[in-house]
Amino acid sequence: MKVCKFGGSSVASAEQVAKIVEIVMADPARRVVVVSAPGKRGKDDVKVTDMLISCAEAALAGQDCERPLADVVERYAEIQRELKLPGGITAEIEKDLRFRLAGDRSHCGGFMDSMKAAGEDNSAKLVAQAFLACGAKAVYMSPREAGMLLTDDFGNAQLLEESYRNLAEALRKSDGIVVFPGFFGYTKDGRVATFPRGGSDITGSILAAAVRADVYENFTDVDSVYPVDPRLVPEVKEGIAAMTYREMRELSYAGFGVFHDEAVIPAVKAGIPINVRNTNRPQEPGTMIVQSRRVLAGSVVGIASDDGFCNIFVDKYMMNREIGFGRRLLQILEWEGVSYEHMPSGIDNVSVVIRERNFDPECERRVVERIKRDLNPDAVLVERGYALIMVVGEGLYYTVGMAAKTAKALSEGGVNIEMMNQGSSEISMMFGVKAEHRAKAVRALYKAFF
Ligand code: ASP
């Protein structure tokens, strides 16, 4: 059995919904279809989820919601009309939205989640109708009936373990194609709760794990995952055919935007292969993400980069002999609630790399003061404006000279390496460079490895 997830752009218009129907009907193994809310139809369009958030905010502020409500209904009505589906579905969607709007507003988070969830819930109902209209046997499945239980962290809910059993049973009992709304579930006391934004990917991955799917197909609007960001290297043509879970994790950590690496944890834990594919070009095989794969020595799967990092550099003569130095340094960050990303070190100095967004100037002042007071260093320096470049590939583990090749490419590209760190897994090398050298560095590495 295959679980397929279609993102917002794949349900944005009647034309796109028709593609979903065609793709799913082309393969009888595609039994579970998870859908997002309609996304943007073009660059300046607004996602239905964002429209619903504005609508809920207006309601909470006591403003009139007729206009935003009508706009949301129209997004679905347009698809219904163009696909010539029965008009009753649009009336049902409007009724559902009015019901949610009239719901309990005493808990803002709960009210907001109920509104946000309407996007995927109605999308699933509409897509189920589209299948029926084409003669396919399909049903909409409600996450409530399926037992998709979540914690009550509204907007950031987590799955309760027992859901797996419930979902497996509900999906196995069902017949034909099941259309399941992404992004939300229910708390034990029956309230709607949503995952973080982009959470339909989480739903898809949970369902794939629950039914032990042969593959989790994640349909989006790109042919495959590219080894490098096409905005930095426009000439990149060939996508990645296959990569391992570990490679995906390293790449998505450092800015690969295909999906949030946390979203696929359920599928990864269950060892389900993930296939990233394009709704607009379903003939393309896409990128497979698997537990293990055969790798060629010296091959690099991708080069990722991200900026917005800063570096706390601490220097102290004989640091290596001072028991507990590292622990006390990290303890200071822990007290401030700051998580760190990397920690390259030498005998007398250590750097702690953190995301700038987690380290405002006030927090920096307190941390530096505390380091000076508690650790008595020779120097503490905070430098902002760093980019991290990650060179990733299982092949790095087996091959001699990869660091040399990378450093040579960077030096030939005129990039000064400020920091380097080879991950303990040995499948990635991290380089810290000044943010303004990021694009130059990525291009130099792309040229060297691809
Ligand atoms: N519709 C939700 C969002 O825009 C969830 C999703 O599309 O995955 O965040």
Side-chain angles (χ1 to χ4, degrees), residues 5 7-8 36-37 47 49-50 116 119-120 182-183 196-201:
K5 183 255 166 181
S36 283
K47 289 179 171 191
T49 308
D50 291 316
K116 271 153 71 183
E120 343 297 282
F183 191 39
R197 291 297 303 268
S200 297
D201 279 337

Side-chain angles (χ1 to χ4, degrees), residues 10-37:
S10 308
V11 273
S13 65
E15 191 191 347
Q16 293 301 90
V17 172
K19 289 180 190 167
I20 297 184
V21 172
E22 205 181 315
I23 290 170
V24 174
M25 287 179 72
D27 183 349
R30 293 183 172 133
R31 282 271 328 279
V32 180
V33 177
V34 176
V35 290
S36 283

Side-chain angles (χ1 to χ4, degrees), residues 360-420:
D360 61 48
E362 190 42 40
C363 180
E364 171 183 332
R365 194 193 54 74
R366 287 194 301 271
V367 166
V368 169
E369 207 177 277
R370 200 137 192 181
I371 293 175
K372 284 186 180 157
R373 199 184 64 208
D374 296 0
L375 300 175
N376 199 22
D378 297 331
V380 194
L381 202 70
V382 176
E383 282 178 313
R384 292 184 177 261
Y386 276 99
L388 295 189
I389 319 280
M390 303 278 278
V391 179
V392 178
E394 296 275 351
L396 297 186
Y397 182 69
Y398 309 100
T399 321
V400 177
M402 292 299 272
K405 186 170 174 184
T406 314
K408 185 165 172 260
L410 288 173
S411 93
E412 284 172 1
V415 177
N416 185 29
I417 303 172
E418 307 270 336
M419 219 177 338
M420 36 196 295

